[in-house]
Amino acid sequence: MHAPVVVLQDSMKREQGGKVQRANIQAAKAVADIIRTTLGPRSMLKMLLDASGGIVVTNDGNAILRELDLAHPAPKSMIELSRTQDEEVGDGTTSVIVLAGEMLHVAEAFIDKKYHPTVICRAYTKALEDAVAVLDKIAMTVDVNDRATMLGLVKSCIGTKFTSQFGDLIADLAINATTIVGVEVGQGLREVDIKKYIKVEKVPGGQLEDSVVLKGVMINKDVVAPGKMKRKIVNPRIILLDSPLEYKKGENQTNAELLREEDWTVLLKMEEEYIENMCAQILKFKPDVVITEKGLSDLACHYLSKAGVTAIRRLRKTDNNRIAKACGAVIVNRPDELQESDVGTGAGLFEVKKIGDEFFTFIVDCKDPKACTVLLRGASKDLLNEVERNLQDAMSVARNIIKHPKLVPGGGATELTVSAMLKQKSSSVEGIEKWPYEAAAIAFEAIPRTLAQNCGVNVIRTMTALQGKHANGENAWIGIDGNTGEIADIKERKIWDSYAVKAQAFKTAIEAACLLLRIDDIVSGIKKKQAPGAGQGQSKPKIEEEGDADNDQLIPE
């Protein structure tokens, strides 16, 4: 008797799910369309207005999406993709959004035909596995120590950015910086921590060509007593502290009653002796420079300057860590725990210089620094901000190559190869999953197609020619030269992509597309604000009983 009702309810539920998926797909496509024009070397720039009324001009996918203010949850998860991509590998933020948008776009037809999202996701996951296998097949290994190759690689990866007009400058800075902070962690592996040990200091003024990677650290600080302390020391002995060199006040409020006048002198004397004692423990090791993260009292300053020691106070913890890595010092928490091995002797020069209106301390010419500072000079703040964004991408690319020394062809050639291989394989996929699998293969063509669009060439003609060349999956090196829009041999033009970036982009895009497809309802957990007093006098919430559950939403037969 009830069978038709159940079937109807089921189909209604599926219909509603389909609507949600379509809405999600439309929202994701909208995000992809915003960012599509920023892919490739001939890409357009976006002008962003930030919350404080400032203007940012950039074509960095992640920087653009960070500023978008969206209410719908689906595009928010798309924006998370570019953030994930940026944190994991630092490049490919635009590609991942374009690819995910295309994966969802091709899935729309199957949602309309009432395919179950799980079927589509299963086909996509299979396509992802095969795509990564193709990447492994066409990847070529690179020699990390060959400077020319590394330079070509980093250049081709940031050739799509604004700073590509300055030639090798940014790529040079990135390679120098990442080479300095690379640390061997055994088993032939290298660890490169860009966030912790490379600091980018932007100082407006001067030419962009004046930018350098310092073999050491630069901090925006001056010495404590400028007249009395040296501002230039060759081969300094450096002590780094994480404790204040001043009299320590008690935790609780204490009152001391002084009955005689001399007691006051005794109290002051005790404070002085305490500080003198601390300074004596430091001076025992004959340092030239003492740097502390905390305060430094006038008295301590007097004792140190009398001994010819230069002091700097209230330094950031991160800067202190970098100095320790650069000059081989150990940060000490208490002066009485100091040992000879804690003194940093690796720096070649300590110098305080004035750049513009501010004083900067340089600890440079270090013997084997494991931290460095990139000093960027340029005409304006906006220019420097964009250069910094590009430099971060370039350093990430250099880091990826050091960690995974494998390359794949750029210029859309990789995607075309993957697409051709998947199309061939789709004939061997059995059952209903064959069609979504083939659609995923076609979706990979979004990257070369977008590159062609941004070059301003005839898209259909270019894409047809490229598909013809890739049809048998043999010409893996034929792609688009993003500057001219010509179909070219990518190997000759030296247009490369890092294997890590491509693999991560494919994984992130397809997994995100699957995630969005499997959402069949969007439920708001935010309470609507009521007018004051509106909540009173309302009836109690109705408690649903067991019997009601069956009668819910029955369609009359």
Side-chain angles (χ1 to χ4, degrees), residues 3 37 54 79 137 149-150 154 162 165 175 187 190 207 223 235 293 304 344 361 372 447 456 469 488 504 541 543 545:
T37 54
I79 289 168
K137 197 168 146 193
T149 314
M150 287 286 282
V154 177
F162 169 74
Q165 61 201 30
I175 293 172
Q187 297 169 340
R190 276 176 81 78
Q207 300 282 319
V223 295
N235 294 331
E293 290 174 29
L304 292 174
T361 299
C372 67
I447 301 284
K469 289 206 158 60
Q504 183 68 36
I543 297 166
E545 289 169 13

Side-chain angles (χ1 to χ4, degrees), residues 381-394:
K381 269 200 177 129
D382 291 335
L383 176 79
L384 282 176
N385 287 339
E386 181 63 7
V387 171
E388 185 194 16
R389 277 191 288 274
N390 296 172
L391 179 66
Q392 289 294 349
D393 283 357

Side-chain angles (χ1 to χ4, degrees), residues 110-151:
F110 300 110
I111 297 288
D112 292 342
K113 287 178 186 161
K114 304 281 186 291
Y115 270 54
H116 196 284
T118 314
V119 175
I120 304 172
C121 293
R122 214 167 21 222
Y124 275 12
T125 313
K126 204 175 279 182
L128 173 61
E129 283 170 17
D130 293 341
V132 174
V134 174
L135 275 186
D136 287 330
K137 197 168 146 193
I138 60 172
M140 57 180 267
T141 312
V142 61
D143 178 14
V144 179
N145 300 319
D146 181 359
R147 171 97 192 183
T149 314
M150 287 286 282
L151 195 64

Side-chain angles (χ1 to χ4, degrees), residues 352-462:
V352 179
K353 282 188 201 164
K354 193 174 187 186
I355 304 178
D357 298 337
E358 297 187 60
F359 284 97
F360 289 92
T361 299
F362 291 83
I363 297 172
V364 288
D365 297 342
C366 300
K367 287 192 191 87
D368 184 20
K370 286 287 163 251
C372 67
T373 301
V374 183
L375 174 58
L376 291 181
R377 306 301 308 273
S380 69
K381 269 200 177 129
D382 291 335
L383 176 79
L384 282 176
N385 287 339
E386 181 63 7
V387 171
E388 185 194 16
R389 277 191 288 274
N390 296 172
L391 179 66
Q392 289 294 349
D393 283 357
M395 289 194 300
S396 302
V397 170
R399 177 194 64 186
N400 295 336
I401 298 165
I402 289 171
K403 286 175 86 170
H404 307 280
K406 278 163 118 188
L407 297 181
V408 289
T414 303
E415 284 82 2
L416 283 161
T417 310
V418 168
S419 175
M421 296 281 218
L422 292 184
K423 278 180 196 164
Q424 277 181 8
K425 252 194 170 161
S426 67
S427 53
S428 62
V429 177
E430 289 177 1
I432 196 172
E433 287 169 25
K434 176 180 175 162
W435 313 114
Y437 184 94
E438 202 170 301
I442 294 165
F444 277 107
E445 290 174 1
I447 301 284
R449 188 166 62 246
T450 307
L451 276 174
Q453 277 168 352
N454 290 348
C455 294
V457 294
N458 185 325
V459 178
I460 297 172
R461 198 168 291 164
T462 308

Side-chain angles (χ1 to χ4, degrees), residues 236-249:
R237 287 168 59 82
I238 300 175
I239 286 182
L240 301 179
L241 297 174
D242 181 15
S243 61
L245 290 180
E246 49 196 1
Y247 189 72
K248 202 169 164 192
K249 292 187 177 69

Side-chain angles (χ1 to χ4, degrees), residues 135 138-139 406-410 414 477 495-499 502:
L135 275 186
I138 60 172
K406 278 163 118 188
L407 297 181
V408 289
T414 303
W477 299 93
I495 302 172
W496 305 98
D497 264 329
S498 161
Y499 170 84
K502 272 279 175 273

Side-chain angles (χ1 to χ4, degrees), residues 149-166:
T149 314
M150 287 286 282
L151 195 64
L153 280 172
V154 177
K155 262 180 71 181
S156 72
C157 288
I158 60 156
T160 62
K161 307 275 188 255
F162 169 74
T163 47
S164 57
Q165 61 201 30
F166 301 115

Side-chain angles (χ1 to χ4, degrees), residues 3-280:
V5 180
V6 176
V7 172
L8 269 168
Q9 271 185 305
D10 195 37
S11 65
M12 275 179 67
K13 190 73 183 156
R14 290 229 336 243
E15 190 60 44
Q16 185 194 351
K19 274 184 191 163
V20 170
Q21 272 125 9
R22 272 186 223 106
N24 283 351
I25 290 169
Q26 292 304 328
K29 269 161 60 180
V31 173
D33 286 339
I34 289 172
I35 214 164
R36 195 182 292 277
T37 54
T38 66
L39 186 75
R42 286 276 168 261
S43 57
M44 308 299 282
L45 295 165
K46 304 279 181 192
M47 186 181 264
L48 310 172
L49 283 170
D50 61 19
S52 57
I55 290 174
V56 181
V57 178
T58 181
N59 67 350
D60 181 335
N62 188 38
I64 295 163
L65 291 174
R66 269 205 315 258
E67 297 296 334
L68 289 186
D69 185 23
L70 298 165
H72 196 285
K76 273 188 181 167
S77 67
M78 288 285 281
I79 289 168
E80 279 303 316
L81 295 191
S82 91
R83 194 167 300 156
T84 309
Q85 183 77 5
D86 194 54
E87 280 174 13
E88 280 298 314
V89 287
D91 196 18
T93 48
T94 307
S95 314
V96 80
I97 298 284
V98 171
L99 198 53
E102 194 66 20
M103 286 287 169
L104 288 164
H105 174 61
V106 296
E108 196 169 10
F110 300 110
I111 297 288
D112 292 342
K113 287 178 186 161
K114 304 281 186 291
Y115 270 54
H116 196 284
T118 314
V119 175
I120 304 172
C121 293
R122 214 167 21 222
Y124 275 12
T125 313
K126 204 175 279 182
L128 173 61
E129 283 170 17
D130 293 341
V132 174
V134 174
L135 275 186
D136 287 330
K137 197 168 146 193
I138 60 172
M140 57 180 267
T141 312
V142 61
D143 178 14
V144 179
N145 300 319
D146 181 359
R147 171 97 192 183
T149 314
M150 287 286 282
L151 195 64
L153 280 172
V154 177
K155 262 180 71 181
S156 72
C157 288
I158 60 156
T160 62
K161 307 275 188 255
F162 169 74
T163 47
S164 57
Q165 61 201 30
F166 301 115
D168 298 356
L169 177 74
I170 296 294
D172 257 332
L173 293 177
I175 293 172
N176 290 345
T178 42
T179 314
I180 288 175
V181 299
V183 184
E184 295 287 345
V185 288
Q187 297 169 340
L189 294 173
R190 276 176 81 78
E191 183 55 53
V192 184
D193 195 331
I194 294 175
K195 275 196 177 142
K196 255 191 190 164
Y197 299 127
I198 300 180
K199 175 82 188 284
V200 179
E201 283 280 1
K202 301 175 296 222
V203 184
Q207 300 282 319
L208 193 66
E209 284 72 30
D210 300 342
S211 305
V212 285
V213 174
L214 303 170
K215 283 192 80 174
V217 182
M218 164 184 145
I219 43 178
N220 190 349
K221 285 272 176 200
D222 192 7
V223 295
V224 180
K228 301 174 188 167
M229 295 179 170
K230 289 186 221 160
R231 278 199 170 140
K232 184 171 181 180
I233 303 169
V234 180
N235 294 331
R237 287 168 59 82
I238 300 175
I239 286 182
L240 301 179
L241 297 174
D242 181 15
S243 61
L245 290 180
E246 49 196 1
Y247 189 72
K248 202 169 164 192
K249 292 187 177 69
E251 290 284 321
N252 328 4
Q253 210 173 354
T254 44
N255 292 336
E257 282 192 23
L258 305 177
L259 300 174
R260 289 183 316 217
E261 202 179 323
E262 302 87 74
D263 293 355
W264 177 243
T265 326
V266 171
L267 260 180
L268 286 178
K269 192 109 181 89
M270 281 163 69
E271 280 193 25
E272 284 176 23
E273 278 172 4
Y274 173 76
I275 290 174
E276 190 178 1
N277 216 356
M278 277 166 75
C279 292

